[in-house]
């Protein structure tokens, strides 16, 4: 049987986060979804005699996006009118870029399960968004609040070969947008919208097969599922001697299938021409401004975290995917490093690594869990990085037991207080003093004669129960290792 490979290209539209719309002063912000047609003006609704003025902030942001994706930036460019009729397009044309996109010929590195891979970026151009149609009770209504929002359109070369690569590509784009504060890229809010074009060809051949476009993929999961489905569908068509039809397909989430929306007519003639109301412009000042937006990109952060902190790759991924979390972790580490330095501690590199790993572990297991349960975020953490570093020092030095650490952390989340104060006021200090523990051990032994007898008769498993009792009586402050030793010694001596 012949083997086929998928050839996949992507088109991604992203609304950029600016103060105002692309060509007018209507705001670009939250609340637009509340009421239809309240955030509009004669310019974005295309009244005659109005003059569009390009939004410089949007141009700087798209340029920064292009720089992050290693694109060439046009030194001179202009806008065009793309003419077509659709009710969500009030002007009867869209102002976009055609001949000379602002950004072109870039690439992005993604990390797949098979290793790193580069996806080439064909172009990223600037345009304006359309309005929104809703179909309610057999009627169609239009909302122009979205019309004229700054929209970036990114097109890749057909370098993607499977669903996993496509999903990771989209996730990485979203991360870059968020790291640079160009867009929140929320797919469920339509801030980032993905389209896939996909064809199959026999493995080892160069020529492209007939491609199918899949539109309106509104989550990473759906991008992945639609591609997986389409690869199977096209493989079946071809291996049964059929031909793939050039068409646009949609995704039916309830059935998890793609379905034909429309067969490809001849290419649209959009009658592009240079937008006469906006003069062509040079971009050198925009490029300079874009370059001054500095931020470490996710790929660099990943490499640095692996290198500098020696964490597991899965841990690094969780940190990098949430910038606030990564920043929080690093602030903690710098607190801890300052502490090591200030106290002139003679830490071996191994001990320092252990301290860093301890910080990462408590964040990635405990804090993430508690925060998500309580709807808290690391942007606005009730535990400051200073207090969290303090907590790690307390755990590291064995001042509290691991049970005590859990209690302490919860108290810190509840109160936001200094962990040392909580340890003091709640009596959480781990008791390693044998004399202090002996009293509790004696009490536990007296109260559990049957269990003690079991242990004396060789059932070692019951010791854990007795340790648990000691922990309970000591309110979690006993050092379990030492408690275990005293329990064992006391019971066997009394035998
Ligand atoms: Zn407007």
């Amino acid at each position: 049987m012949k083997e086929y490979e998928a050839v996949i290209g992507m088109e991604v539209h992203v609304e950029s986060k600016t103060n105002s719309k692309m060509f007018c002063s209507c705001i670009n912000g939250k609340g637009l979804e509340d009421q239809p047609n309240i955030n509009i003006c004669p310019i974005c609704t295309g009244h005659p005699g109005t003059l569009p003025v390009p939004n410089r902030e949007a141009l700087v942001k798209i340029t920064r996006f292009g720089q992050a994706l290693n694109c060439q930036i046009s030194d001179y460019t202009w806008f065009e009118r793309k003419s077509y009729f659709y009710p969500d397009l009030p002007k009867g044309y869209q102002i976009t870029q055609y001949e000379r996109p602002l950004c072109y010929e870039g690439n992005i590195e993604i990390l797949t399960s098979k290793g790193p891979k580069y996806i080439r970026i064909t172009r990223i151009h600037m345009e304006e968004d359309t309005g929104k149609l809703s179909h309610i009770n057999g009627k169609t209504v239009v909302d122009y609040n979205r019309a004229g929002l700054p929209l970036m359109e990114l097109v890749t070369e057909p370098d993607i070969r499977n669903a996993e690569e496509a999903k990771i590509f989209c996730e990485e784009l979203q991360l870059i947008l968020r790291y640079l504060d160009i867009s929140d890229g929320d797919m469920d809010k339509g801030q980032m919208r993905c389209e896939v074009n996909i064809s199959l060809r026999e493995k080892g051949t160069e020529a492209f097969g007939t491609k199918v476009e899949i539109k309106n993929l509104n989550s990473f999961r759906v991008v992945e599922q639609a591609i997986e489905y389409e690869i199977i569908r096209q493989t079946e068509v071809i291996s049964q001697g059929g031909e793939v039809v050039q068409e646009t397909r949609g995704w039916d989430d309830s059935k998890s299938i793609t379905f034909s929306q429309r067969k490809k007519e001849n290419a649209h003639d959009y009658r592009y021409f240079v937008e006469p109301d906006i003069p062509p412009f040079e971009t050198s000042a925009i490029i300079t401004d874009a370059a001054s937006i500095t931020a470490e990109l996710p790929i660099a952060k990943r490499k640095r975290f692996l290198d500098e902190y020696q964490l597991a790759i899965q841990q690094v991924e969780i940190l990098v995917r949430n910038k606030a979390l990564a920043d929080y972790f690093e602030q903690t580490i710098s607190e801890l490093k300052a502490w090591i330095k200030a106290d002139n501690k003679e830490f071996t590199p191994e001990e320092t690594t252990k301290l860093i790993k301890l910080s990462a572990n408590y964040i990635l297991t405990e804090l993430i869990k508690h925060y998500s349960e309580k709807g808290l975020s690391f942007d606005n953490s009730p535990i400051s990085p200073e207090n969290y570093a303090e907590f790690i020092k307390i755990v590291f030095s064995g001042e509290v037991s691991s049970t005590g650490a859990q209690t302490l952390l919860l108290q810190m989340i509840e109160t936001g207080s200094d962990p040392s104060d909580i340890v003091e006021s709640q009596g959480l200090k781990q008791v390693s003093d044998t004399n202090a523990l002996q009293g509790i051990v004696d009490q536990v032994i007296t109260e559990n004669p049957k269990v003690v007898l079991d242990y004396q008769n060789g059932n070692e498993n019951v010791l854990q129960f007795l340790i648990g009792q000691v922990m309970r009586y000591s309110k979690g402050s006993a050092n379990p290792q030492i408690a275990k030793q005293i329990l064992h010694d006391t019971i066997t001596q009394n035998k």
Side-chain angles (χ1 to χ4, degrees):
M1 199 180 132
K2 286 176 181 167
E3 250 196 279
Y4 297 98
E5 72 172 354
V7 178
I8 301 165
M10 306 228 26
E11 201 177 298
V12 183
H13 282 92
V14 180
E15 279 176 2
S16 61
K17 202 168 158 183
T18 54
N19 288 318
S20 56
K21 287 189 178 180
M22 189 61 219
F23 298 109
C24 63
S25 56
C26 290
I27 56 158
N28 174 13
K30 285 188 183 119
L32 294 186
E33 56 286 335
D34 293 349
Q35 221 184 316
N37 298 310
I38 50 162
N39 188 41
I40 55 175
C41 75
I43 297 174
C44 54
T45 48
H47 289 215
T50 54
L51 199 62
V53 178
N55 179 337
R56 195 169 190 281
E57 188 189 7
L59 294 174
V60 169
K61 287 197 164 170
I62 189 177
T63 302
R64 186 66 188 89
F65 191 36
Q67 290 166 341
L69 299 181
N70 306 305
C71 287
Q72 307 286 328
I73 312 292
S74 296
D75 53 358
Y76 177 77
T77 187
W78 55 86
F79 286 98
E80 272 113 345
R81 284 189 187 181
K82 177 183 181 180
S83 302
Y84 65 96
F85 174 77
Y86 203 69
D88 66 7
L89 189 73
K91 294 191 183 92
Y93 59 86
Q94 180 189 32
I95 304 179
T96 181
Q97 291 195 287
Y98 181 59
E99 256 190 62
R100 176 103 46 120
L102 196 48
C103 316
Y104 60 99
E105 287 177 11
N107 63 66
I108 176 175
E109 184 184 356
I110 57 167
L111 289 178
T112 74
S113 56
K114 295 200 179 96
K117 166 156 187 170
Y118 285 90
I119 311 291
R120 287 172 297 158
I121 308 292
T122 315
R123 57 186 282 152
I124 316 171
H125 72 246
M126 193 78 238
E127 58 187 31
E128 57 179 335
D129 211 345
T130 60
K132 237 186 206 169
L133 295 180
S134 309
H135 310 283
I136 304 164
N137 299 332
K139 287 182 181 155
T140 299
V141 291
V142 65
D143 175 10
Y144 290 131
N145 283 344
R146 201 180 73 174
L149 288 183
L151 193 68
M152 303 181 286
E153 180 180 316
L154 175 150
V155 181
T156 75
E157 292 292 306
D159 290 344
I160 296 170
R161 291 288 167 272
N162 57 48
E164 186 210 15
E165 289 175 11
K167 175 169 168 270
I168 294 173
F169 167 78
C170 293
E171 287 172 343
E172 194 66 13
L173 275 191
Q174 186 193 55
L175 265 189
I176 292 170
L177 291 165
R178 289 181 176 176
Y179 268 59
L180 292 168
D181 202 27
I182 292 171
S183 171
D184 291 334
D186 276 330
M187 289 184 78
D188 53 355
K189 291 186 188 147
Q191 293 165 344
M192 181 168 157
R193 320 198 272 266
C194 298
E195 289 170 28
V196 164
N197 60 68
I198 171 168
S199 61
L200 294 192
R201 69 180 171 200
E202 212 178 305
K203 242 185 184 157
T205 59
E206 286 294 317
F208 296 140
T210 307
K211 74 177 177 193
V212 165
E213 271 182 81
I214 322 172
K215 292 206 181 231
N216 301 323
L217 303 172
N218 59 6
S219 74
F220 297 136
R221 172 186 62 83
V222 163
V223 168
E224 197 176 25
Q225 285 181 331
I227 291 174
E228 278 167 0
Y229 177 83
E230 197 58 23
I231 290 176
I232 295 171
R233 189 189 71 84
Q234 292 187 21
T235 306
E236 278 175 6
V237 170
I238 297 171
S239 38
Q240 285 164 11
E243 266 179 38
V244 173
V245 183
Q246 188 175 351
E247 62 184 346
T248 301
R249 297 178 75 88
W251 173 253
D252 182 334
D253 206 32
S254 60
K255 296 185 188 142
S256 294
I257 58 167
T258 65
F259 62 93
S260 180
Q261 280 182 319
R262 57 172 189 271
K263 307 282 180 230
K264 194 79 182 179
E265 324 86 77
N266 291 331
H268 287 289
D269 184 356
Y270 291 116
R271 305 271 164 158
Y272 284 102
F273 66 93
V274 176
E275 165 61 58
D277 287 339
I278 303 172
F281 54 100
E282 286 186 2
T283 56
S284 60
I286 290 168
I287 294 172
T288 310
D289 283 4
S292 71
I293 303 172
T294 49
E296 186 181 38
L297 293 176
I299 193 91
K301 198 183 280 292
R302 248 180 225 117
K303 287 174 182 167
R304 187 169 62 77
F305 273 27
L306 283 172
D307 214 44
E308 210 170 306
Y309 304 128
Q310 293 165 35
L311 302 174
I313 199 159
Q314 296 84 348
Q315 291 186 311
V316 170
E317 204 50 43
I318 299 172
L319 289 170
V320 169
R321 278 174 190 240
N322 181 339
K323 186 166 177 290
L325 181 61
D327 290 346
Y328 186 84
F329 169 72
E330 290 217 279
Q331 282 162 18
T332 304
I333 300 302
S334 82
E335 289 286 331
L336 290 170
K337 286 193 169 162
W339 168 64
I340 294 172
K341 211 168 162 194
D343 282 18
N344 248 335
K345 295 208 178 323
E346 308 258 316
F347 267 36
T348 62
E350 288 75 26
E351 282 173 313
T352 308
T353 307
K354 204 175 149 200
L355 194 65
I356 291 171
K357 287 191 171 164
L358 194 66
S359 312
N361 288 343
Y362 268 101
I363 289 181
L364 295 174
T365 54
E366 301 302 322
L367 274 193
I368 282 190
K369 188 181 74 193
H370 294 312
Y371 278 28
S372 94
E373 278 168 9
K374 294 175 196 292
L376 299 166
S377 83
F378 286 87
D379 283 321
N380 206 350
S381 170
I383 303 180
S384 66
E386 297 75 30
N387 278 350
Y388 180 68
E390 190 68 35
F391 164 80
I392 291 299
K393 287 181 225 166
I394 290 171
V395 176
F396 186 74
S397 61
E399 252 184 83
V400 295
S401 67
S402 60
T403 323
Q406 303 284 353
T407 314
L408 176 56
L409 205 55
L410 280 171
Q411 290 278 327
M412 288 169 72
I413 296 172
E414 294 294 324
T415 62
S417 306
D418 187 290
S420 308
D421 294 347
I422 299 174
V423 169
E424 207 58 51
S425 66
Q426 306 277 320
L428 291 173
K429 201 163 242 174
Q430 174 158 267
V431 182
S432 302
D433 172 8
T434 358
N435 290 331
L437 285 179
Q438 187 69 54
I440 299 176
V441 165
D442 290 343
Q443 190 188 351
V444 167
I445 288 175
T446 317
E447 287 177 11
N448 296 280
K450 267 179 91 175
V451 185
V452 172
L453 197 64
D454 274 359
Y455 187 68
Q456 286 171 332
N457 289 334
N459 182 355
E460 289 183 8
N461 295 332
V462 299
L463 191 60
Q464 205 51 49
F465 169 79
L466 295 172
I467 297 170
Q469 294 303 303
V470 174
M471 296 309 289
R472 198 161 71 90
Y473 281 115
S474 69
K475 293 191 183 122
S477 67
N479 180 324
Q481 287 308 318
I482 296 176
K484 183 180 177 183
Q485 195 57 50
I486 303 173
L487 270 167
H488 174 80
D489 291 349
T490 314
I491 294 172
T492 45
Q493 277 159 21
N494 291 346
K495 197 172 173 177

